[in-house]
Amino acid sequence: LQVERKEKEQLQNNLTVAQSRLKKEEEKVLSLRQENEDLKKKLAAAKRQSLSRNESVEDYKKQIEEANGKAMSIRIRFQAQKTALEKELAHTQQRLEEIESKS
């Protein structure tokens, strides 16, 4: 009877230790789940931020392309005006030389 009582006591202790370990493991699991949820939220936020940055980069690229297009257009107009002015200057110099040679 005493052997049975000791065995029952030992089993009761084993059960208490096992329950304690189980509770600690459950707490770890809950903690890991919470950490996982936090990481998922951080990842989602990082993805949104990354998309936002990528959109900003695309906007900047478009603005740069537009500015380059405008600059090219201005360069072309400037070159055309410069050529016209050079022709006008050459014609004026030629006319001036003609006038000077007559006098």
Side-chain angles (χ1 to χ4, degrees):
L1 192 68
Q2 195 162 358
V3 170
E4 287 179 3
R5 199 177 318 138
K6 281 192 176 195
E7 188 178 344
K8 183 179 177 186
E9 213 174 276
Q10 185 63 41
L11 289 172
Q12 193 67 41
N13 284 341
N14 290 350
L15 180 62
T16 303
V17 169
Q19 286 173 334
S20 175
R21 285 183 182 165
L22 180 62
K23 186 173 180 177
K24 286 180 184 176
E25 290 301 316
E26 286 174 346
E27 288 171 359
K28 282 183 188 177
V29 167
L30 287 175
S31 174
L32 289 172
R33 281 186 183 156
Q34 185 60 49
E35 189 177 334
N36 189 18
E37 286 302 313
D38 292 346
L39 289 172
K40 283 181 182 178
K41 288 176 185 174
K42 286 181 182 178
L43 178 62
K47 283 182 179 177
R48 284 192 302 273
Q49 198 172 21
S50 176
L51 287 174
S52 173
R53 269 193 231 117
N54 286 343
E55 289 169 2
S56 293
V57 168
E58 290 303 316
D59 289 344
Y60 289 136
K61 283 182 181 176
K62 285 178 186 174
Q63 290 173 6
I64 289 169
E65 287 173 6
E66 289 173 7
N68 284 340
K70 288 177 184 176
M72 182 63 76
S73 174
I74 290 169
R75 273 189 227 114
I76 291 169
R77 275 195 310 238
F78 172 76
Q79 191 62 45
Q81 288 173 346
K82 182 181 171 190
T83 303
L85 287 171
E86 286 172 343
K87 286 180 181 178
E88 189 178 327
L89 179 61
H91 178 72
T92 303
Q93 283 176 335
Q94 182 183 8
R95 185 78 180 113
L96 183 61
E97 288 170 5
E98 288 174 4
I99 292 172
E100 286 176 351
S101 68
K102 287 182 182 177
S103 55

